[in-house]
């Protein structure tokens, strides 16, 4: 008998790497079975040589029963495919049931059962420790390198400006930022810090260091880890929904993102490290998952870990562990059971404790922007707070539209081919415009901290340069007072800073470097809030007899807190961009310690979301998901169109018939021919082509691996061998080639709907069960198939969008 394989023998000739689980033909696709160090196949190693040329007759003389022996590689997924949530959860239940049953048989089995149950908490502990340590390292390094642009500490080059002057004995409290140990670049180069030439030297060195840091960041990303760019949260959301992007959470991505995040923040670009820290924490979670078989071998369980890791990332980014858990639940997680909630809480706790123990800010506080406001807010102030919410919604909608338009231009024009040039140009513009203004020259985190600050007697900031500032009221607090020259100068500088931040952030977010959006958005809102707060303060001082003030704000009283307005504005703008609500408010009061100001924060956040939603339904992360064509099915949106399953399924009218396999009448050669001539990632199995009665569904990858394994290990399997998907194969005549039983790889319970099922229900099923595909029947006969991509394309078409944009770009 002829033991013939495929023509031209190449395994790659028929393998598919379609952008997701799409079962329709996609030309020129090739599936890569090569091993990746960072994300190895789940169920064991696959031999490197995957040339599918038949492989000859195996050395074994017995018929292999695939019902008893697992096949290496079966049940795993290709890159850019979606996992089968139902199958993964079923496999985990079977594994857990087996461990529980065996635990009653011996002491060793009981110990194994206990260790299996404890492994999840141990994994959360390790994720928290590693995430907290990396976040502290990033904070310390970024602070030092940011100050390096302005000078060097001669007492120790490893000290940043603040720590350098802490150790100085020749400094007063008023001049605590000026100590002889800290030398600017002009002092080091020309031995003076006075005059125009010294200013030019400092200006030049500031721009030079910024360009150097940005160049190193974009070069490292481009050469070593392309996935290390951007925020990472859109891709994290897509991965948590079940999509597989191999290497995105790998060790190279973690290493390069950690290094380049420090460089990008230190360059002075309008970006933050908070979003990328979520990506860093998820990389830690993914890498540590490989130490535990329960998570290494099950993609659904791994995604529960990644949800907890995302919570730990926000916890160390802001020092807000509870807000991190709520952020993971509200914004990024697709599947969030109660057990994941507890473990996310534990991971966020450990991460926050680790960060607090290392104390990177040197102030013995966990929160990033600690505030001490002494004045309660008044009911009338809800009006300006709501106005800040309206501004935040308008800014969010404006930013999303303009940033997406620019990113689309980057993807569709020659600009996208020169990421290094783009980063250097934006960095040069930012640095040149930032240096003359002290509020743009300082790091964005320092700027927000100063804007949140409530002026006290010892504050030397221009924002606190009030007339009669030493005429204190009770307990040393400062009453409302007329603004001095410093305050008015600060207002002009802040107005210019606001314009620069609004414009430059649009072009910065999305470049090929790590870039977060939390801090720049908060800066825009904090500046606006501070400007409005100072305006309200002066209005109350000069017009305290107005009806809106005289009932609660007497002359000389401490009524208005400008720092509170900055805090509310920051929350409003961040909410307008991300559309967060509950988690945003919790993050803000954890971030600042301003627990008694929850109501103003809630009012601003809700108003911001309403205004932004009225102008566009998508947040920035969802907009980038759609721009990149990721197969993400948003659980928050409603499908309100009256279409049926038959309107969406493939094949349509006048299309070729659906490609199916029969349960007991096809040879190995027949199946190999179907595989080689199509790029579908799965095939329905029917009783016969005449009856079209559904038996189950088999994945292309499982079919390929099983046939190849049989050719190598099962004696006598040739091209004319019959493939059976039934439980028992009938007796065969003598001298007939051995049959191949593949019932073990068959999904006997594929999800089905009838052709008249409303698409509203079908979409809901795909969302809640995380399906890859759904089969369509009519009176028990198989009619067609609906894939996740078909659903996404249909939703896009109903929204008058381009349905062909649903591709992984």
């Amino acid at each position: 008998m002829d033991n013939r394989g495929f023509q031209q023998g190449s395994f790659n000739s028929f393998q598919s790497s379609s952008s997701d689980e799409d079962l329709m033909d996609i030309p020129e696709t090739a599936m890569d079975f090569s091993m990746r160090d960072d994300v190895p196949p789940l169920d064991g190693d696959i031999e490197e040589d995957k040339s599918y040329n038949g492989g000859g007759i195996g050395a074994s003389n017995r018929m292999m029963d695939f019902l008893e022996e697992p096949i290496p590689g079966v049940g795993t997924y290709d890159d850019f495919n979606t996992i089968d949530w139902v199958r993964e959860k079923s496999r985990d239940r079977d594994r857990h049931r087996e461990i529980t049953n065996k635990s009653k048989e011996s002491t060793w089995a009981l110990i194994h059962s206990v260790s299996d149950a404890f492994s999840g908490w141990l994994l959360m502990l390790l994720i928290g420790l590693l995430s907290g340590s990396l976040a502290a390292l990033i904070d310390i390094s970024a602070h030092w390198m940011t100050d390096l642009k302005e000078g060097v500490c001669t007492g120790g080059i490893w000290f940043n400006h603040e720590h350098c002057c802490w150790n100085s004995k020749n400094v007063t409290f008023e001049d605590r930022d000026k100590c002889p140990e800290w030398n600017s670049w002009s002092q080091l180069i020309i031995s003076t810090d006075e005059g125009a030439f010294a200013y030019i030297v400092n200006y030049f060195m500031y721009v030079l260091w910024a360009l150097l840091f940005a160049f190193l960041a974009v070069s490292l990303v481009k050469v070593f880890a392309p996935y290390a760019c951007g925020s990472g949260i859109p891709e994290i959301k897509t991965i948590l929904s079940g999509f597989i992007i191999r290497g995105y959470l790998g060790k190279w991505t973690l290493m390069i993102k950690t290094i380049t995040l420090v460089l990008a923040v230190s360059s002075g670009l309008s970006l933050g490290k908070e979003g990328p820290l979520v990506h860093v924490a998820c990389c830690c979670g993914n890498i540590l998952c490989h130490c535990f078989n329960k998570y290494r071998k099950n993609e659904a369980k791994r995604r529960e870990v990644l949800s907890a890791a995302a919570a730990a990332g926000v916890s160390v980014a802001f020092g807000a562990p509870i807000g991190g858990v709520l952020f993971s639940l509200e914004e990024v997680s697709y599947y969030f059971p109660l057990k994941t909630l507890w473990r996310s809480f534990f991971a966020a706790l450990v991460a926050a404790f680790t960060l607090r123990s290392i104390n990177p800010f040197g102030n013995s506080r966990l929160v990033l922007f600690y505030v001490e406001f002494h004045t309660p807010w008044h009911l009338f102030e809800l009006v300006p707070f709501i106005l800040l919410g309206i501004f935040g919604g308008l800014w969010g909608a404006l930013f999303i539209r303009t940033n997406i338009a620019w990113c689309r231009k980057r993807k569709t024009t020659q600009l996208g081919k020169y990421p290094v040039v783009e980063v250097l140009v934006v960095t040069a513009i930012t640095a040149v415009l930032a240096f003359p203004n002290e509020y743009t020259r300082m790091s964005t985190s320092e700027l927000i901290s100063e804007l949140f600050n409530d002026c006290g007697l010892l504050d030397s900031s221009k924002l606190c340069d009030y007339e009669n500032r030493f005429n204190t009221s009770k307990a040393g607090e400062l009453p409302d007072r007329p603004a001095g020259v410093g305050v008015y100068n600060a207002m002009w500088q802040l107005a210019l800073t606001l314009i620069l931040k609004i414009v430059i952030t649009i072009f910065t977010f999305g470049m090929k470097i790590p870039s977060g959006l939390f801090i720049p958005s908060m800066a825009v809102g904090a500046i606006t809030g501070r400007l409005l707060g100072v305006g309200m303060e002066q209005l109350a001082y000069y017009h305290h007899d107005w009806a809106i003030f005289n009932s609660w704000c007497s002359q000389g009283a401490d009524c208005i807190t400008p720092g509170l307005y900055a805090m509310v504005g920051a929350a409003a703008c961040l909410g307008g961009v991300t559309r967060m609500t509950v988690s945003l408010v919790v993050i803000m009061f954890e971030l600042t310690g301003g627990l008694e100001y929850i109501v103003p924060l809630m009012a601003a956040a809700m108003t911001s979301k309403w205004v932004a939603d009225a102008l566009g339904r998508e947040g920035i992360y969802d907009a980038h998901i759609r721009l990149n064509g990721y197969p993400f099915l948003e659980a928050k949106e409603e499908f309100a169109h009256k279409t049926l399953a038959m309107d969406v399924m493939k094949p349509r009218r006048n299309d070729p018939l659906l490609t199916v396999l029969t349960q007991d009448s096809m040879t190995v050669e027949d199946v190999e021919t179907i595989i080689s001539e199509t790029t579908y990632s799965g095939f329905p199995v029917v009783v016969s082509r005449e009856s079209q009665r559904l038996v189950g569904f088999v994945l292309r990858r499982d079919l390929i691996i099983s046939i190849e394994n049989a050719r190598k290990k099962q004696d006598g399997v040739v091209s004319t061998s019959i493939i059976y998907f039934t439980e028992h194969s009938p007796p065969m005549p003598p001298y007939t080639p051995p049959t191949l039983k593949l019932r073990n790889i068959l999904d006997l319970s594929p999800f089905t709907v009838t052709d008249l099922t409303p698409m509203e229900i079908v979409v809901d099923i795909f969302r809640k069960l995380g399906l890859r595909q759904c089969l369509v029947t009519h009176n028990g006969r198989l009619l067609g198939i609906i894939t996740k991509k078909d659903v996404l394309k249909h939703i896009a078409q109903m929204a008058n969008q381009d349905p062909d944009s649903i591709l992984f770009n």
Side-chain angles (χ1 to χ4, degrees):
M1 299 292 277
D2 178 28
N3 187 15
R4 181 169 63 90
F6 293 125
Q7 286 80 6
Q8 298 178 355
S10 174
F11 199 38
N12 291 331
S13 64
F14 58 82
Q15 294 174 0
S16 167
S17 171
S18 55
S19 61
D20 65 355
E21 69 293 353
D22 190 13
L23 306 187
M24 308 315 297
D25 281 312
I26 298 179
E28 298 179 5
T29 56
M31 185 166 64
D32 182 12
F33 276 78
S34 61
M35 291 277 289
R36 300 280 184 110
D37 288 337
D38 43 13
V39 189
L42 298 181
D43 283 337
D45 297 340
I46 304 171
E47 294 183 21
E48 291 183 2
D49 183 12
K50 288 298 176 184
S51 297
Y52 198 95
N53 54 9
I57 298 177
S60 174
N61 292 321
R62 65 183 179 86
M63 176 177 177
M64 180 174 289
D65 187 358
F66 288 107
L67 289 171
E68 297 178 359
E69 294 193 18
I71 308 169
V74 168
T76 60
Y77 302 95
D78 298 323
D79 203 5
F80 309 140
N81 269 214
T82 301
I83 70 169
D84 189 334
W85 284 91
V86 177
R87 181 171 73 171
E88 295 298 302
K89 296 303 294 181
S90 177
R91 288 170 60 185
D92 183 62
R93 281 195 300 268
D94 292 342
R95 183 198 62 82
H96 188 266
R97 192 180 296 115
E98 181 182 357
I99 291 176
T100 303
N101 292 336
K102 286 184 177 180
S103 65
K104 303 173 184 177
E105 299 175 359
S106 66
T107 305
W108 177 251
L110 179 62
I111 294 174
H112 179 255
S113 175
V114 172
S115 66
D116 181 78
F118 180 71
S119 62
W121 297 101
L122 177 60
L123 180 57
M124 295 301 113
L125 176 67
L126 295 175
I127 290 172
L129 291 172
L130 185 56
S131 301
S133 302
L134 287 176
L137 176 65
I138 290 170
D139 286 333
I140 294 170
S141 303
H143 197 171
W144 175 72
M145 293 179 68
T146 299
D147 289 347
L148 190 63
K149 293 185 298 182
E150 298 186 11
V152 175
C153 182
T154 55
I157 194 173
W158 54 89
F159 287 129
N160 60 40
H161 191 171
E162 185 178 14
H163 290 171
C164 184
C165 291
W166 274 0
N167 295 329
S168 176
K169 298 178 181 178
N170 304 313
V171 64
T172 61
F173 186 84
E174 290 76 12
D175 295 328
R176 56 189 176 275
D177 291 334
K178 299 176 182 179
C179 57
E181 288 82 4
W182 180 262
N183 291 309
S184 66
W185 288 109
S186 61
Q187 288 176 308
L188 291 171
I189 295 173
I190 61 174
S191 302
T192 181
D193 203 23
E194 303 293 334
F197 187 60
Y199 182 85
I200 293 173
V201 170
N202 287 329
Y203 202 150
F204 175 77
M205 292 302 296
Y206 181 91
V207 176
L208 183 65
W209 278 110
L211 289 172
L212 177 62
F213 292 155
F215 176 74
L216 289 174
V218 68
S219 299
L220 288 171
V221 168
K222 182 180 179 182
V223 174
F224 294 105
Y227 283 153
C229 66
S231 164
I233 292 181
E235 289 77 12
I236 297 296
K237 288 186 70 170
T238 308
I239 290 171
L240 289 178
S241 74
F243 196 59
I244 291 178
I245 310 177
R246 298 207 184 278
Y248 197 84
L249 301 177
K251 58 180 179 292
W252 269 109
T253 303
L254 173 62
M255 187 185 307
I256 298 302
K257 186 127 191 174
T258 303
I259 296 171
T260 56
L261 181 55
V262 174
L263 292 167
V265 171
S266 305
S267 68
L269 286 165
S270 183
L271 49 83
K273 60 181 181 297
E274 285 66 27
L277 276 174
V278 176
H279 187 187
V280 167
C282 286
C283 288
C284 296
N286 183 66
I287 292 169
L288 291 171
C289 274
H290 295 304
C291 301
F292 302 86
N293 282 338
K294 177 166 71 172
Y295 299 101
R296 181 172 62 87
K297 293 185 176 183
N298 193 294
E299 291 284 1
K301 295 292 291 180
R302 190 185 300 180
R303 273 151 183 77
E304 294 179 20
V305 173
L306 296 180
S307 293
V314 175
S315 174
V316 294
F318 290 112
I322 301 175
V325 176
L326 292 176
F327 174 82
S328 180
L329 173 61
E330 180 182 3
E331 189 63 25
V332 299
S333 293
Y334 192 84
Y335 175 68
F336 203 84
L338 192 59
K339 184 185 294 185
T340 303
L341 177 67
W342 299 334
R343 289 181 175 171
S344 300
F345 184 81
F346 180 65
L349 165 68
V350 174
F353 176 78
T354 304
L355 187 68
R356 170 64 182 81
S357 301
I358 298 175
N359 193 20
F361 307 118
N363 57 9
S364 300
R365 290 194 181 105
L366 178 63
V367 298
L368 194 57
F369 310 116
Y370 184 74
V371 297
E372 288 182 295
F373 297 148
H374 304 287
T375 308
W377 61 278
H378 191 267
L379 189 63
F380 168 75
E381 291 183 281
L382 280 178
V383 175
F385 293 154
I386 290 174
L387 289 176
L388 287 173
I390 294 173
F391 172 80
L394 294 172
W395 147 250
L398 170 69
F399 174 80
I400 291 171
R401 290 195 178 187
T402 50
N403 179 253
I404 292 298
W406 178 252
C407 289
R408 184 174 288 112
K409 184 179 181 64
R410 181 188 292 126
K411 292 173 72 72
T412 56
T413 63
Q414 294 292 320
L415 178 64
K417 297 181 179 179
Y418 305 100
V420 177
V421 175
E422 181 191 9
V423 169
L424 291 179
V425 168
V426 173
T427 304
I429 294 173
T430 304
V432 168
L433 295 178
F435 186 83
N437 187 338
E438 64 177 287
Y439 292 113
T440 51
R441 189 190 317 165
M442 67 175 64
S443 71
T444 312
S445 296
E446 292 178 9
L447 171 63
I448 295 173
S449 183
E450 183 156 337
L451 293 170
F452 283 5
N453 183 40
D454 187 25
C455 291
L457 289 174
L458 299 177
D459 283 306
S460 57
S461 168
K462 287 197 299 185
L463 287 170
C464 300
D465 183 21
Y466 290 93
E467 297 178 8
N468 306 321
R469 59 176 302 195
F470 295 105
N471 295 336
T472 62
S473 62
K474 60 184 186 303
E477 296 171 11
L478 295 179
D480 286 339
R481 53 232 180 265
V485 177
V487 174
Y488 287 115
N489 288 337
M491 293 300 100
W492 280 109
Q493 288 181 296
L494 285 176
L496 294 174
T497 303
L498 178 63
I499 296 172
L500 177 63
K501 290 287 183 185
I502 286 176
V503 174
I504 207 67
T505 305
I506 293 170
F507 299 97
T508 303
F509 187 71
M511 293 195 304
K512 297 302 180 183
I513 52 173
S515 55
L517 194 58
F518 282 74
I519 290 296
S521 300
M522 289 176 63
V524 170
I527 294 170
T528 307
R530 189 77 187 201
L531 293 173
L532 180 60
V534 173
M536 287 290 296
E537 181 187 48
Q538 297 306 301
L539 195 65
Y541 177 81
Y542 288 107
H543 303 283
H544 61 273
D545 54 341
W546 285 8
I548 58 175
F549 294 120
N550 60 14
S551 62
W552 59 281
C553 186
S554 58
Q555 185 174 12
D558 189 10
C559 305
I560 306 294
T561 307
L564 172 60
Y565 285 73
M567 189 169 76
V568 173
C573 284
L574 184 55
V577 172
T578 62
R579 309 298 162 86
M580 296 190 300
T581 52
V582 180
S583 58
L584 171 63
V585 173
V586 175
I587 286 173
M588 286 304 300
F589 82 70
E590 281 191 284
L591 189 65
T592 59
L595 187 61
E596 61 181 300
Y597 302 106
I598 287 181
V599 173
L601 290 171
M602 292 174 68
M606 206 67 247
T607 305
S608 173
K609 179 174 172 57
W610 283 337
V611 173
D613 282 347
L615 300 173
R617 298 292 298 176
E618 293 179 321
I620 185 64
Y621 302 130
D622 296 324
H624 273 272
I625 286 173
R626 185 164 59 84
L627 174 68
N628 293 322
Y630 299 140
F632 180 76
L633 198 54
E634 178 57 65
K636 301 172 188 174
E637 296 180 0
E638 295 183 1
F639 186 86
H641 305 284
K642 295 183 179 180
T643 50
L644 303 175
M646 62 187 300
D647 301 323
V648 181
M649 73 176 190
K650 302 288 182 66
R652 306 282 179 85
R653 288 184 180 179
N654 303 322
D655 284 350
L657 294 176
L658 185 68
T659 302
V660 298
L661 306 179
T662 56
Q663 66 173 358
D664 56 7
S665 60
M666 297 187 72
T667 64
V668 171
E669 183 179 19
D670 295 335
V671 174
E672 289 175 340
T673 301
I674 289 176
I675 292 173
S676 64
E677 292 178 352
T678 65
T679 55
Y680 308 145
S681 56
F683 305 94
V685 178
V686 297
V687 173
S688 65
R689 297 185 186 278
E690 293 75 24
S691 70
Q692 290 290 304
R693 281 179 52 212
L694 183 64
V695 176
F697 189 85
V698 63
L699 292 177
R700 174 194 187 90
R701 177 184 174 92
D702 293 351
L703 199 59
I704 292 170
I705 293 174
S706 299
I707 293 175
E708 181 190 82
N709 191 74
R711 283 189 179 274
K712 290 182 177 179
K713 296 184 178 180
Q714 185 174 335
D715 191 13
V717 172
V718 291
S719 297
T720 55
S721 297
I722 302 294
I723 292 180
Y724 282 94
F725 293 100
T726 55
E727 190 169 357
H728 302 289
S729 56
M732 303 296 293
Y735 306 109
T736 303
T739 59
L740 186 57
K741 290 170 61 178
L742 297 182
R743 186 178 177 84
N744 192 42
I745 66 171
L746 183 66
D747 180 5
L748 294 170
S749 55
F751 207 94
T752 60
V753 296
T754 67
D755 53 335
L756 298 179
T757 304
M759 275 305 295
E760 183 179 2
I761 295 176
V762 174
V763 171
D764 214 27
I765 290 171
F766 269 87
R767 283 174 178 157
K768 293 182 176 178
L769 294 181
L771 298 182
R772 307 176 78 199
Q773 68 277 321
C774 179
L775 301 175
V776 182
T777 62
H778 176 75
N779 293 336
R781 287 172 56 87
L782 180 65
L783 285 186
I785 188 169
I786 300 176
T787 68
K788 186 177 179 181
K789 184 182 285 187
D790 293 330
V791 173
L792 289 163
K793 286 186 174 182
H794 182 67
I795 292 175
Q797 194 171 13
M798 292 293 101
N800 295 320
Q801 298 169 358
D802 180 16
D804 293 327
S805 65
I806 310 299
L807 290 171
F808 178 76
N809 297 326

